């Protein structure tokens, strides 16, 4: 793995991953929708190009063929906030992912690595349970699951290796979305009550630098047509994560459990298993949740 294309390269996960690939001596063609990147910095092995992945014909016009061996796909509109429930957008994302897979093949890439989500498993559990009433929050995961299913068949058909890392919950310095860790840390910063569900559902979190390293190792060592969970290797009930975070950033606060209703799906701990990621790829998370949330907390106080 010497020359890599990375889409969504100026996003939160994408930019950290680009930087880690560069640190390993890999040449990166970074693609994103913005004219000038906000997160990426100049590097001798980095080429940035503005590119809309929703337009595969234009991609083939712009991108050089036979120069890159691996295509890493992060670009996904509406990964946070209200757009997660926009089913038209999420379907477009899924179709765009399949088209990017085909573009990768036409460009001569041997391997396509796509950022999946643990929500794919949540979707399956929620949809296939008799009498279940999944909320709109599952739409994002449905898009990821559809993309995964279609990409696997198309990859076999056109002859390109598909590797599918699945992120549990990435967080860290540089993320501004209203996702769980950020929202909770902002409440702690503002002295607001820390109110949660009973938080008995199983969960996992992984710090952003670990996520970036995981993508490199999975892209390099992962077996074709396999999926790899990116997590802390220490999944447990959400309550335990919350207490660890509270003690690290707001030791005088008291988390309140049970005031918020839980409407999601509780997944078994086996869903979060990272054995294959560790065994096949050599990845194991290094940043503890206490360390990661403290670093994120300190950074959020400055923005």
């Amino acid at each position: 793995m010497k020359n890599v294309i990375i889409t969504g390269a100026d996003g939160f996960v994408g930019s950290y991953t680009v930087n880690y690939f560069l640190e390993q001596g890999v040449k990166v063609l970074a693609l994103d929708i913005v004219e000038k990147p906000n997160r990426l910095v100049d590097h001798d092995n980095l080429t940035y190009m503005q590119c809309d992945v929703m337009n595969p014909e234009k991609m083939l016009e712009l991108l050089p063929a036979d120069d890159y061996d691996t295509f890493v796909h992060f670009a996904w509109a509406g990964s946070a906030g209200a757009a997660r429930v926009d089913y038209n957008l999420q379907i477009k994302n899924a179709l765009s992912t399949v088209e990017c897979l085909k573009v990768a093949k036409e460009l001569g890439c041997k391997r396509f690595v796509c950022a999946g989500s643990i929500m794919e498993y949540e979707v399956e559990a929620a949809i296939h349970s008799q009498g279940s009433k999944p909320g709109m929050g599952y739409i994002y995961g449905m898009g990821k699951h559809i993309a995964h299913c279609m990409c696997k068949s198309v990859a076999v058909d056109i002859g390109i290796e598909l590797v599918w890392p699945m992120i549990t919950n990435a967080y860290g310095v540089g993320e501004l979305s209203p996702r769980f860790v950020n929202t909770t840390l902002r409440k702690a910063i503002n002295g607001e009550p820390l109110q949660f569900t009973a938080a008995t559902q199983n969960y996992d979190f992984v710090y952003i630098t670990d996520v970036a390293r995981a993508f490199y190792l999975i892209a390099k060592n992962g077996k074709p047509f396999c999926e790899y969970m990116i997590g802390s290797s220490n999944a447990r009930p959400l309550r335990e994560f919350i207490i660890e975070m509270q003690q690290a950033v707001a030791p005088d606060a008291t988390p309140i459990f049970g005031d918020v209703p839980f409407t999601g799906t509780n997944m078994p701990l086996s869903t979060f298993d990272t054995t294959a990621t560790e065994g096949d790829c050599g990845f194991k998370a290094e940043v503890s949740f206490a360390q990661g949330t403290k670093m994120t907390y300190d950074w959020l106080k400055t923005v």
Side-chain angles (χ1 to χ4, degrees):
M1 187 174 62
K2 297 180 179 179
N3 301 289
V4 175
I5 297 171
I6 300 181
T7 70
D10 197 45
F12 174 56
V13 178
S15 60
Y16 271 90
T17 302
V18 167
N19 290 336
Y20 191 83
F21 272 68
L22 292 172
E23 289 170 5
Q24 308 314 306
V26 178
K27 292 184 178 180
V28 176
L29 173 59
L31 308 180
D32 210 302
I33 193 67
V34 295
E35 183 178 356
K36 281 187 172 184
N38 298 307
R39 299 174 185 264
L40 300 176
V41 296
D42 290 340
H43 190 285
D44 289 344
N45 282 342
L46 174 65
T47 302
Y48 179 80
M49 187 179 296
Q50 183 182 22
C51 184
D52 182 2
V53 299
M54 296 285 188
N55 188 340
E57 293 82 9
K58 190 66 174 178
M59 289 180 71
L60 287 172
E61 288 179 15
L62 290 173
L63 306 184
D66 301 319
D67 285 352
Y68 297 89
D69 49 68
T70 304
F71 194 112
V72 182
H73 185 58
F74 290 108
W76 192 279
S79 59
R84 285 171 73 97
V85 306
D86 184 340
Y87 47 84
N88 285 308
L89 177 61
Q90 300 304 335
I91 286 292
K92 287 179 182 178
N93 282 325
L95 293 174
S96 173
T97 300
V98 179
E99 293 301 327
C100 283
L101 172 75
K102 294 164 63 179
V103 166
K105 173 64 177 179
E106 292 197 45
L107 293 177
C109 295
K110 306 299 182 186
R111 171 167 287 211
F112 185 84
V113 181
C114 184
S117 170
I118 195 169
M119 287 194 70
E120 296 174 51
Y121 288 131
E122 294 181 29
V123 164
E124 284 194 332
I127 296 301
H128 297 297
S129 297
Q130 295 286 67
S132 66
K133 297 180 180 180
M136 291 295 287
Y138 285 99
I139 296 293
Y140 165 78
M142 290 172 185
K144 286 287 187 180
H145 186 57
I146 290 168
H148 190 171
C149 294
M150 292 193 296
C151 278
K152 204 160 191 179
S153 291
V154 173
V156 172
D157 183 59
I158 65 177
I160 186 172
E161 294 181 356
L162 177 70
V163 185
W164 201 269
M166 306 179 81
I167 305 171
T168 52
N169 288 282
Y171 72 98
V173 172
E175 187 189 23
L176 292 168
S177 79
R179 296 172 69 233
F180 180 80
V181 169
N182 269 11
T183 299
T184 303
L185 291 176
R186 288 189 182 279
K187 287 180 179 178
I189 291 169
N190 296 328
E192 299 173 17
L194 302 181
Q195 297 172 301
F196 307 97
T197 67
T200 56
Q201 67 270 36
N202 293 321
Y203 235 77
D204 200 6
F205 296 93
V206 57
Y207 190 70
I208 186 59
T209 55
D210 280 330
V211 175
R213 184 166 53 86
F215 268 95
Y216 172 79
L217 291 171
I218 292 169
K220 181 182 178 183
N221 302 323
K223 295 178 180 178
F225 300 99
C226 289
E227 56 193 47
Y228 292 99
M229 192 64 65
I230 300 177
S232 70
S233 302
N234 187 27
R236 48 209 154 111
L238 178 58
R239 176 187 290 251
E240 295 183 23
F241 283 106
I242 291 171
I243 293 172
E244 184 176 348
M245 173 167 45
Q246 171 261 316
Q247 291 178 346
V249 305
D252 295 330
T254 302
I256 303 167
F257 296 103
D259 278 8
V260 180
F262 175 63
T263 57
T265 302
N266 188 17
M267 305 299 296
L269 285 173
S270 58
T271 306
F272 302 85
D273 185 23
T274 58
T275 301
T277 316
E278 295 172 22
D280 291 352
C281 308
F283 169 77
K284 194 173 180 68
E286 295 176 347
V287 181
S288 73
F289 193 58
Q291 292 172 319
T293 51
K294 183 61 167 64
M295 288 188 288
T296 308
Y297 175 83
D298 290 342
W299 173 77
L300 282 171
K301 290 193 296 184
T302 70
V303 297

